[in-house]
Amino acid sequence: MTETSTTALEVATGSTAAEAATTASATAGSTTAVSVKPRMTIAVLGATGMVGSRVIAEAAARGHRVLALSRNPGAFRHPRDGDPNVTPLAVGASDPDAVREALSTAAPTGAPDAVVLSVRTFPPDSEFLVDATRTVLDAAARLGTRVLVVGGAGALRSPEDPDLPVAGNRAYVPAEYREVALAGIAQLRTCRAHADADWVYLSPPALLEPGERTGRYRRGTDTLLTDSDGRSWISAEDLAVALVDEVETPGMERHITVVHRTSGRSGNQNADQQGEGQKDQGNRHQPAHARGRS
């Protein structure tokens, strides 16, 4: 499923192919070893959405092949339009036959190395979300392909009260978004109920917005994280960095979350990931439970 690619060199967490090439060139002739990441085929369902489109751009920039699956591929736009490594396909996430066919035939090796499911509904449609998740898990399980589900923050534990789900915490989820947050919990339960699939559920922090790619984030498990200023947020670009990092270097946990890291060393409640600095984008935040269907 994978092959060696000289366009994706492992020189830094979340590094793009261009950054890797620059670093490799700078260290040429030295004794420093630079490992080569395998080139992967990654299918992204929800390709036209805020998160999905950025995952595609991030994965393609690292030299991976990307299958951009969406109900309306004509609406697909991202910074790497025209990239031969990105293949748009018309596939609805809740259409079992279409999903199975796309995942089993579109990749050069017959199946992708990973599937990213990044769909969300607002107003909430829990039935659609659960059906789409089950459809993708079923298809991926038959192929032996790992699924990374971009879920909602509502499924996390509250940092000040581990027994209180974020979905029920008014400090993070306003009343108008509660049903969307509950749909995310139903999606996570669908993953946990699937006996055969290899899946990871990525919960964003409480606030998610378009912004800058810094490659800098902190990774945790099932409890909501906040940054050094007490804010629980990340840019969609850095969420994509974290997700592609997880595709390339899988962790052991089934439920993970990330948050923007403003300074200091990084880690999971156990390990941080480091990149370049970011300017604060102000108050243009979108609750992580409120993304539109793609």
Side-chain angles (χ1 to χ4, degrees):
M1 292 184 188
T2 60
E3 63 185 51
T4 298
S5 169
T6 57
T7 62
L9 302 178
E10 190 174 34
V11 296
T13 298
S15 63
T16 64
E19 290 165 344
T22 299
T23 305
S25 175
T27 58
S30 72
T31 58
T32 302
V34 178
S35 60
V36 180
K37 289 182 180 178
R39 187 186 192 195
M40 306 176 77
T41 298
I42 303 169
V44 180
L45 288 103
T48 60
M50 177 175 69
V51 173
S53 61
R54 286 160 175 82
V55 170
I56 290 166
E58 180 69 26
R62 299 193 197 186
H64 299 302
R65 294 190 185 96
V66 184
L67 307 177
L69 312 182
S70 173
R71 292 178 305 158
N72 182 18
F76 180 64
R77 296 288 183 273
H78 73 96
R80 301 185 70 86
D81 273 348
D83 189 327
N85 285 331
V86 179
T87 304
L89 296 171
V91 178
S94 58
D95 183 336
D97 293 336
V99 170
R100 266 196 306 270
E101 182 176 0
L103 297 185
S104 62
T105 63
T109 55
D113 297 284
V115 177
V116 176
L117 176 62
S118 177
V119 296
R120 189 66 57 206
T121 61
F122 190 77
D125 186 343
S126 182
E127 183 178 356
F128 164 81
L129 196 59
V130 165
D131 286 349
T133 302
R134 187 179 296 115
T135 292
V136 173
L137 292 174
D138 285 346
R142 291 188 182 95
L143 297 170
T145 298
R146 189 166 180 249
V147 180
L148 291 94
V149 180
V150 182
L156 295 167
R157 299 174 184 269
S158 296
E160 67 279 5
D161 183 355
D163 293 326
L164 176 62
V166 168
N169 191 331
R170 292 289 185 90
Y172 300 109
V173 181
E176 61 267 29
Y177 293 114
R178 178 169 166 75
E179 290 303 316
V180 184
L182 291 175
I185 293 178
Q187 184 183 35
L188 177 58
R189 287 173 177 161
T190 301
C191 293
R192 288 175 171 163
H194 204 291
D196 301 320
D198 180 7
W199 57 268
V200 175
Y201 188 93
L202 171 59
S203 284
L207 300 171
L208 178 65
E209 65 172 351
E212 291 185 52
R213 180 199 184 278
T214 71
R216 192 171 63 206
Y217 63 90
R218 189 155 59 96
R219 183 182 187 277
T221 53
D222 64 352
T223 299
L224 188 79
L225 298 178
T226 58
D227 66 14
S228 58
D229 297 323
R231 301 168 66 203
S232 179
W233 77 282
I234 197 168
S235 70
E237 286 76 6
D238 279 343
L239 188 77
V241 170
L243 195 147
V244 179
D245 284 349
E246 179 69 21
V247 170
E248 293 178 340
T249 310
M252 298 296 293
E253 302 86 5
R254 283 290 185 100
H255 189 187
I256 61 175
T257 187
V258 293
V259 71
H260 175 69
R261 184 176 66 80
T262 53
S263 62
R265 295 190 51 141
S266 312
N268 194 350
Q269 291 159 334
N270 39 37
D272 293 345
Q273 306 299 329
Q274 181 175 332
E276 303 172 3
Q278 171 177 355
K279 182 190 297 181
D280 192 332
Q281 295 297 308
N283 296 317
R284 296 182 294 104
H285 294 100
Q286 178 181 13
H289 352 280
R291 295 183 296 277
R293 183 186 302 179
S294 300

